[in-house]
């Protein structure tokens, strides 16, 4: 049992805010010094926290067993869905335990595949990842962005596909950007920021993004500024060149708000853009075009989404697919020869439909089971469509969909050594505090004995319109094999039922998300799946906020909590890197009307002397999305407030960030630590550990 934690110095820092009544509200912030990740004092504190945590985790008998089993479960070929450019096909591939997947190229979607880019060769520890890849229309050039040590910052380079050599081009300080090639492959559009001040790369706010055009062979300093808006520092720009090469279309975004602007102009024009959408009232996404006729998906007057055509020459709009009972998925509507493919959510799992280009339903295309499409690659003039499909018990598998027949052909038959037939997935619904019906997926051994003694992990997110669909994760298999239950909740704040479902979990209604999660926990207890002594909760990023808020509101309901890279200080989140962008979901503490709401649930500010569940807080020292100060300050305060015997531990990974691009080696190590921690505290009988 932990009896002594590293000393966490407390200062007398007090901030003054104004509430809706115009009153001054004083809020202490004694651990402000932990916001500087590079100070010697913070680094010494981190080292001591890690020392205590690693000593505890090393004492857990299940830890080595999990590492061994997880290594075996991860060691199988993982093939991404191919995509086609010119005469070449491309895919991401990991033969098993590589830290980073490689990018491969072939002249057929079935191979023979040749390695085009292997990120594992770019660093000795596997912490340089391929963040983005875009191939020119003719398939001759690859623009690729790499990220180092978990940071969101990308460096763009260009590689010749035939020869595999890099061109001299190198573009730095790009973030939240893809690459949109010119039709002739002579250059591409990307987004960039000014270089941060010395020492501020991982903490300074990210504002004033610019849309740039880079011509191959030129220096970055010579790139053309296509759009910059000093009067709108929070605007960002995503460029898209239509497949026929006629138009440049720009999606203008503002933070994580799904509402955007849509601008268009002829590709080779230097004139002003036509602002098809000039105010942030709904989301608009370009699907494709037939000449001047754009196909656009929008939530305007349709929170579950609808599709319309928009003539850029006449301005005429015409709805072709009206809003239906299921939420259309923005990233998975594509033009195909003579038609459109749509993916929609029905109770948090996907449905695939083929339409004509005027919107009539041609046929429903049955997917392999209860699961989700994770990628959909198509060209408007090519009958070959490639997609990857996954479920809780089957890995993401690439398929070739032939049109117009609608026939599926699996391009892979590999899977980890795991007996999926021993387990089952069921869907149940909890009733939240206000009567809202909240779905959850329960993954467990067949014939689960509902005696209230099953160690159960409840996972959730509930924010930014992000939907949690069925997805395969090798690490969960080890938990299931050892007798654990995994539950995934679909909370308000997500996008499972459209934009209304999202908005019902934002701003002044954010408490709905926590109420939904607590209702799911209570449902699992009432239905005999588990009990508070056997129930743990986990969430990452906004999900870290979720579990942090729920553990402070209902510490009696859970035995273990794992907040990962969590947003835990709701009064200062907006002051670092891209945090300001989340205000559309959260609101800000400098808004008097929101201060009371944020103070009511901010995990850091709601810790009081109490017996809290066992807590394992995880973060990365290079996380420049949710800076590690959130986890540092919350952990220090929780260690101070804990009156019970359960441990409060911080696991701080070096050379790691928010999660994307994390090397396989580190993923396995972290998963083994988390599962061993949960097994110990949720009293999993097959792996019961001795007290430590």
């Amino acid at each position: 049992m932990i009896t002594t934690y590293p000393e966490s110095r407390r200062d007398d820092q007090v901030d003054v805010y104004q509430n809706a009544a115009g009153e001054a509200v004083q809020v202490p912030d004694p651990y402000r010094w932990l916001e500087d990740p590079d100070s010697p004092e913070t680094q010494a504190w981190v080292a001591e926290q890690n020392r205590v945590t690693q000593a505890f985790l090393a004492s857990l008998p299940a830890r080595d067993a999990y590492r061994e089993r997880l290594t075996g479960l991860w060691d199988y070929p993982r093939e991404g869905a191919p995509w086609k450019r010119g005469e070449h096909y491309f895919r991401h591939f990991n033969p098993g335990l590589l830290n980073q997947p490689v990018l491969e190229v072939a002249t057929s979607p079935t191979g023979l595949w040749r390695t085009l880019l292997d990120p594992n060769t770019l660093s000795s520890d596997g912490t340089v990842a391929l963040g983005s890849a875009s191939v020119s229309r003719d398939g001759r050039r690859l623009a690729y962005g790499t990220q180092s040590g978990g940071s969101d910052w990308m460096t763009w380079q260009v590689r010749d596909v035939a020869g595999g050599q890099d061109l001299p081009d190198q573009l730095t300080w790009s973030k939240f950007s893809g690459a949109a090639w010119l039709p002739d492959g002579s250059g591409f559009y990307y987004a960039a920021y000014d270089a941060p001040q010395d020492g501020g790369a991982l903490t300074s706010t990210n504002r004033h993004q610019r849309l740039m055009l880079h011509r191959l062979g030129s220096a970055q300093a010579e790139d053309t500024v296509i759009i910059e808006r000093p009067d709108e520092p929070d605007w960002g720009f995503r460029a898209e060149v239509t497949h026929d090469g006629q138009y440049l279309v720009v999606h203008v975004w503002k933070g994580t708000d799904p509402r955007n602007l849509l601008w268009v102009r002829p590709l080779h024009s230097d004139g002003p853009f036509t602002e098809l959408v000039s105010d942030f009232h709904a989301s608009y996404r370009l699907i494709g075009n037939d000449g001047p006729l754009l196909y656009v998906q929008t939530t305007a007057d349709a929170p579950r989404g609808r599709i319309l055509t928009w003539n850029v020459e006449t301005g005429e709009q015409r709805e072709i697919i009206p809003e239906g009972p299921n939420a259309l998925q923005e990233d998975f509507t594509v033009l195909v020869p003579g038609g459109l493919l749509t993916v929609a959510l029905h109770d948090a799992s996907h449905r695939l439909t083929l339409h004509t280009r005027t919107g009539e339903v041609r046929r429903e295309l049955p997917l392999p089971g209860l699961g989700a499409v994770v990628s959909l690659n198509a060209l408007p003039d090519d009958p070959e469509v490639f997609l990857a499909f996954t479920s809780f018990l089957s890995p993401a598998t690439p398929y070739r969909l032939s049109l117009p027949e609608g026939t599926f052909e699996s391009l892979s038959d590999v899977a980890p050594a795991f007996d999926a037939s021993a387990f089952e997935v069921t869907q149940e619904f909890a009733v939240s505090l206000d009567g809202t019906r909240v779905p959850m997926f329960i993954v467990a051994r067949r014939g689960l004995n509902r005696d209230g003694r099953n160690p159960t992990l409840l996972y959730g997110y509930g924010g930014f319109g992000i939907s949690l669909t069925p997805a395969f994760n090798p690490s969960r298999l080890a938990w299931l094999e050892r007798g654990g239950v995994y539950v995934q909740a679909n909370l308000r704040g997500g996008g499972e039922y459209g934009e209304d479902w999202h908005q019902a979990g934002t701003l002044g209604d954010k408490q709905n998300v926590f109420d939904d999660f607590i209702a799911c926990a209570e449902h699992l207890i009432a239905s005999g799946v588990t009990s508070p002594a056997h129930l743990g909760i986990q969430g990452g990023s906004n999900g870290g906020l979720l579990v942090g808020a729920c553990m402070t509101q209902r510490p009696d309901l859970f035995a273990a909590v794992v907040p990962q890279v969590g947003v835990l200080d709701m009064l200062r989140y907006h002051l670092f890197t891209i945090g300001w962008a989340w205000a559309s979901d959260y609101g800000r503490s400098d808004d008097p009307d929101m201060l009371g709401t944020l103070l009511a649930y901010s995990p850091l500010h709601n810790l009081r002397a109490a017996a809290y569940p066992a807590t394992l807080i995880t973060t990365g020292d290079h996380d420049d999305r949710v800076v590690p100060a959130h986890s540092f300050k919350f952990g220090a305060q929780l260690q101070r407030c804990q009156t019970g015997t359960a441990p409060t531990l911080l696991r701080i990974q070096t050379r790691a960030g928010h999660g994307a691009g994390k090397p396989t080696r580190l993923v396995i190590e972290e998963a083994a630590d988390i599962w061993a921690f949960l097994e110990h505290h949720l009293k999993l009988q097959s792996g019961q550990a001795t007290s430590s």
Side-chain angles (χ1 to χ4, degrees), residues 350-353 363-369 389 401 406 408:
H350 280 162
R351 303 292 186 270
L352 181 64
T353 305
R363 61 172 65 89
E364 303 290 335
L365 300 173
L367 292 167
F389 179 83
L401 171 62
F408 286 92

Side-chain angles (χ1 to χ4, degrees), residues 278-303:
S278 56
D279 63 277
F280 292 92
H281 66 272
S283 69
Y284 289 84
R285 174 187 169 268
L286 175 71
I287 301 168
N289 72 305
D290 284 325
L293 196 68
L294 304 185
Y295 294 84
V296 177
Q297 184 169 320
T298 181
T299 57
D301 303 316

Side-chain angles (χ1 to χ4, degrees), residues 20-143:
E23 302 164 331
V25 178
Q26 295 189 344
V27 181
D29 191 9
Y31 301 115
R32 178 71 57 83
W33 59 275
L34 285 169
E35 292 182 353
D36 181 358
D38 298 320
S39 76
E41 187 179 16
T42 299
Q43 292 181 346
W45 183 89
V46 166
E48 281 300 296
Q49 292 287 349
N50 271 336
R51 182 187 60 78
V52 170
T53 297
Q54 289 305 319
F56 182 92
L57 295 173
S59 73
L60 302 179
R63 187 194 202 191
D64 289 341
Y66 271 112
R67 282 194 181 183
E68 180 179 358
R69 182 59 180 137
L70 290 172
T71 300
L73 287 168
W74 243 282
D75 193 8
Y76 73 96
R78 298 185 292 284
E79 306 172 38
W83 72 95
K84 187 178 183 182
R85 293 293 183 271
E87 299 302 315
H88 295 94
Y89 295 83
F90 301 83
R91 73 169 186 180
H92 297 284
F93 176 68
N94 192 324
L97 295 174
L98 285 180
N99 280 319
Q100 303 291 343
V102 299
L103 181 62
E104 297 186 324
V105 62
T107 56
S108 164
T110 57
L112 299 167
W113 294 96
R114 166 176 64 87
T115 296
L116 176 60
L117 177 65
D118 183 359
N120 299 281
T121 65
L122 303 179
S123 65
S124 60
D125 59 0
T127 59
V128 173
L130 178 60
S132 185
S134 178
V135 181
S136 60
R137 190 73 49 84
D138 58 11
R140 296 179 56 212
R141 297 282 189 266
L142 164 72

Side-chain angles (χ1 to χ4, degrees), residues 287-521:
I287 301 168
N289 72 305
D290 284 325
L293 196 68
L294 304 185
Y295 294 84
V296 177
Q297 184 169 320
T298 181
T299 57
D301 303 316
R304 290 183 299 277
R306 62 189 178 107
I307 296 175
L308 50 86
T309 57
W310 196 323
N311 192 306
V312 297
E313 294 180 350
T314 67
E316 180 186 8
Q317 299 178 44
R318 181 179 178 186
E319 182 178 86
I320 58 172
I321 299 180
E323 181 183 35
N326 297 323
L328 288 175
Q329 300 300 278
E330 280 197 354
D331 295 332
F332 296 117
T333 301
V334 294
L335 285 186
V336 294
L340 295 110
L341 275 174
T342 63
V343 175
L345 270 172
H346 177 76
D347 287 338
S349 64
H350 280 162
R351 303 292 186 270
L352 181 64
T353 305
L354 176 63
H355 305 259
T356 68
R357 293 232 175 148
T358 53
E360 294 83 5
V361 174
R362 281 187 174 176
R363 61 172 65 89
E364 303 290 335
L365 300 173
L367 292 167
L370 181 70
V373 175
V374 291
S375 62
L376 182 59
N377 304 323
L379 296 172
D381 53 2
D382 193 330
E384 271 190 327
V385 174
F386 300 98
L387 59 88
F389 179 83
T390 187
S391 69
F392 286 112
L393 298 175
S394 60
T397 302
Y399 290 87
R400 173 163 50 187
L401 171 62
S402 298
L403 298 175
E405 298 85 358
T407 56
F408 286 92
E409 174 193 357
S410 175
L411 298 178
S412 174
D413 58 1
V414 297
F418 170 76
D419 181 15
S421 66
F423 304 90
E424 64 180 349
V425 180
T426 57
Q427 188 175 42
E428 297 184 11
F429 294 81
V431 179
S432 195
L433 187 64
D434 63 357
T436 298
R437 193 166 171 258
V438 182
M440 72 187 93
F441 293 102
I442 301 174
V443 189
R445 285 193 178 274
R446 292 189 181 276
L448 179 69
N449 183 17
R450 298 198 175 207
D451 61 358
R453 300 173 60 194
N454 299 293
T456 300
L457 178 66
L458 174 61
Y459 182 88
Y461 187 79
F464 302 106
I466 294 172
S467 303
L468 291 189
T469 54
F472 186 78
N473 185 328
S475 83
R476 296 175 190 148
L477 306 184
W479 174 250
L480 296 172
E481 286 179 334
R482 292 172 69 90
V485 176
Y486 173 77
V487 182
Q488 184 166 292
N490 298 108
L491 315 171
R492 281 176 285 185
E496 288 86 350
Y497 295 103
E499 185 57 18
D500 285 350
W501 188 256
H502 167 218
Q503 292 297 329
T506 66
L507 302 175
D509 293 323
K510 187 66 178 177
Q511 182 61 39
N512 287 336
V513 184
F514 316 136
D515 291 342
D516 289 357
F517 201 57
I518 290 169
C520 289

Side-chain angles (χ1 to χ4, degrees), residues 421-685:
S421 66
F423 304 90
E424 64 180 349
V425 180
T426 57
Q427 188 175 42
E428 297 184 11
F429 294 81
V431 179
S432 195
L433 187 64
D434 63 357
T436 298
R437 193 166 171 258
V438 182
M440 72 187 93
F441 293 102
I442 301 174
V443 189
R445 285 193 178 274
R446 292 189 181 276
L448 179 69
N449 183 17
R450 298 198 175 207
D451 61 358
R453 300 173 60 194
N454 299 293
T456 300
L457 178 66
L458 174 61
Y459 182 88
Y461 187 79
F464 302 106
I466 294 172
S467 303
L468 291 189
T469 54
F472 186 78
N473 185 328
S475 83
R476 296 175 190 148
L477 306 184
W479 174 250
L480 296 172
E481 286 179 334
R482 292 172 69 90
V485 176
Y486 173 77
V487 182
Q488 184 166 292
N490 298 108
L491 315 171
R492 281 176 285 185
E496 288 86 350
Y497 295 103
E499 185 57 18
D500 285 350
W501 188 256
H502 167 218
Q503 292 297 329
T506 66
L507 302 175
D509 293 323
K510 187 66 178 177
Q511 182 61 39
N512 287 336
V513 184
F514 316 136
D515 291 342
D516 289 357
F517 201 57
I518 290 169
C520 289
E522 292 176 331
H523 175 92
L524 294 169
I525 294 166
S527 61
V529 172
T530 193
S531 60
H534 301 284
L535 178 59
I537 54 175
Q538 179 189 28
S541 194
N542 175 78
L545 162 62
L546 167 71
V547 300
C550 288
M551 73 174 281
T552 57
Q553 294 181 18
R554 290 293 305 274
D556 60 303
L557 200 55
F558 316 108
V561 181
V562 183
Q564 297 181 271
V565 293
V567 186
L568 300 164
D569 180 352
M570 298 309 298
L571 299 193
R572 290 178 59 79
Y573 76 85
H574 61 287
L575 300 177
F576 303 95
T577 63
I578 197 62
W580 60 267
W582 313 328
S584 56
D585 259 44
Y586 298 152
R588 287 172 40 154
S589 58
D590 53 6
D591 176 357
D593 291 333
M594 285 303 303
L595 179 65
T597 297
L598 293 169
L599 276 173
Y601 70 77
S602 176
L604 174 64
H605 299 93
N606 282 278
L607 289 168
R608 304 289 184 267
Y612 288 103
T615 307
L616 178 61
I617 303 164
T618 72
T619 188
D621 68 344
H622 276 62
D623 190 344
D624 55 357
R625 188 162 319 168
V626 180
V627 293
H630 286 271
S631 296
F632 295 171
K633 292 162 69 173
F634 182 76
Q637 181 71 358
L638 181 56
Q639 288 175 347
R640 176 182 172 85
C641 291
Q642 176 66 282
T643 63
T645 59
T648 295
L649 303 172
L650 288 101
R651 187 187 188 281
I652 304 153
Q653 183 69 59
T654 57
R655 289 284 295 164
H658 200 60
K662 183 178 290 187
T664 300
R665 169 182 55 87
L666 297 184
V667 171
I668 291 173
E669 289 178 3
E670 181 179 43
D673 287 351
I674 290 172
W675 291 125
F677 180 85
L678 290 169
E679 179 166 312
H680 178 70
H681 292 287
L682 303 186
K683 303 178 178 64
L684 183 57
Q685 297 302 312

